[in-house]
Amino acid sequence: MPVRLYLLAAGTFFLGTDVFVIAGMLPGIGHSLGTTLAAAGQLMTAFSLAYAVLGPLLSGALGNRAPRTTLTAALCAAALGNLVCAGADSLLVAMAGRVLVAAGACQFTPQVAALAAALVPEDRQGRALALVNSGLVMGSVLGVPAGTWAASAFGWRPTLVALALGTAAVGLGLVRGLRGIGTVRPAVGARERLAALRGPGIRAVLAVTVCAVIAEYSVLTYAGAVFADATGGDGTRLAVLLLAFGLGGMAGNAFAGAYMDRPAGRRLVLISVVGMAVNFLAMPWAVTSFPTALASMVLWGVTGWMYAAPQQHRLLRLAGPAGPLAVSMNSSVIYVGAALGGATGGLLLSLLSPLDGRWIALPAAAVCALALLPEAAFHRALVGARARVQV
């Protein structure tokens, strides 16, 4: 694989860490800014909303610029946002910093996907996408625990400064590493991009993503309640379960990269969705002991990360010149689905006793099964498109 891909993966690692590490800092942020934990939690809400809204808007506006310019600017915006947040003396200023981070992150991910696919031959595009996505997985597996520890040991402000410096360093590396690379897609106008997004199967792909993410986040957001029987309320045990989920995610992403460019790769999303549905269906009984809960989390990590890169691969091929915009919309859908999943899980938990939180997994299984409908529609659209080409 080209060395440039590893540099892009480093960028996704820092942004993947950035997305989630703030959760471990919320108590310290709330205390420093003289606000409640619930109010500080709105930093995550502001980030998610900004990412969802700004992603398609900025991607449409910047889609025809050279990757070197777009990606470097995206990382610099994220670094500057972290510096603003680190120096904030009020919650409002901290929110402005998180919105700036979101503006950078929402551009980096789709542009990186398009560039990774363009830097390699067609029969290696799947592995290239899996490689740059591995940065996101590593960010959640290693970056988030390390960042949370650093915030506890040194304070949240120095940790954000260090994160900003690392992000900026990768951005400077891209200035040299991407020299000479022009736009990876032909310049097209807004009308052409919108027309491409109405192509066969794109809405079905986005629908699969939103169903899968709603199912996952309805459980993941309330993992403490879902796995209460297995952990006995022990935070260390819960951390081990979440680590197992992340390690399984690394395996799932690697598996997708190995098979995405083969004929069997067309079934990866189907395998992922069915695997999650079966796992969620069995989860209420699996979480009654720690060993079976551990196995369930590994399986969830494998299947839950298996669909991410293939979904990007599909959108880049289906949308043509609007590929980065389609991937940006997919990223926005992920954050909308995460918010809906958290809200759904919270509603279900309020209807249940906290001791019965494990039953949240059953509705999640149903939502995963619902994703099979747009997945079938996607394959029908492809068959129809091939038939029209032959005619």
Side-chain angles (χ1 to χ4, degrees), residues 116-213:
L119 288 176
V120 297
E122 187 174 350
D123 62 351
R124 300 176 69 187
Q125 288 180 350
R127 277 174 286 177
L129 286 170
L131 175 58
V132 296
N133 270 290
S134 68
L136 293 175
V137 187
M138 293 292 289
S140 62
V141 175
L142 300 178
V144 171
T148 303
W149 170 81
S152 175
F154 306 108
W156 63 275
R157 296 183 192 271
T159 301
L160 286 181
V161 171
L163 188 58
L165 293 176
T167 305
V170 176
L172 291 176
L174 291 178
V175 171
R176 181 175 181 179
L178 299 182
R179 184 177 297 159
I181 297 179
T183 55
V184 297
R185 301 279 174 174
V188 293
R191 181 177 299 178
E192 289 80 2
R193 285 195 295 267
L194 291 175
L197 291 177
R198 291 194 291 267
I202 289 182
R203 281 173 290 186
V205 172
L206 296 177
V208 171
T209 294
V210 76
C211 288
V213 173

Side-chain angles (χ1 to χ4, degrees), residues 30-60:
H31 178 74
S32 296
L33 300 181
T35 188
T36 64
L37 178 60
Q42 299 311 304
L43 290 173
M44 299 185 69
T45 303
F47 177 92
S48 298
L49 291 176
Y51 194 114
V53 173
L54 293 176
L57 292 178
L58 293 178
S59 184

Side-chain angles (χ1 to χ4, degrees), residues 337-359:
L340 291 174
T344 301
L347 177 62
L348 292 171
L349 192 62
S350 68
L351 298 176
L352 298 167
S353 163
L355 297 178
D356 293 329
R358 59 197 174 104
W359 299 106

Side-chain angles (χ1 to χ4, degrees), residues 252-280:
N253 182 69
F255 181 84
Y259 286 91
M260 216 184 313
D261 298 313
R262 304 180 186 180
R266 288 175 293 184
R267 301 297 178 188
L268 282 171
V269 175
L270 178 63
I271 294 170
S272 172
V273 171
V274 171
M276 282 195 293
V278 172
N279 192 35
F280 286 143

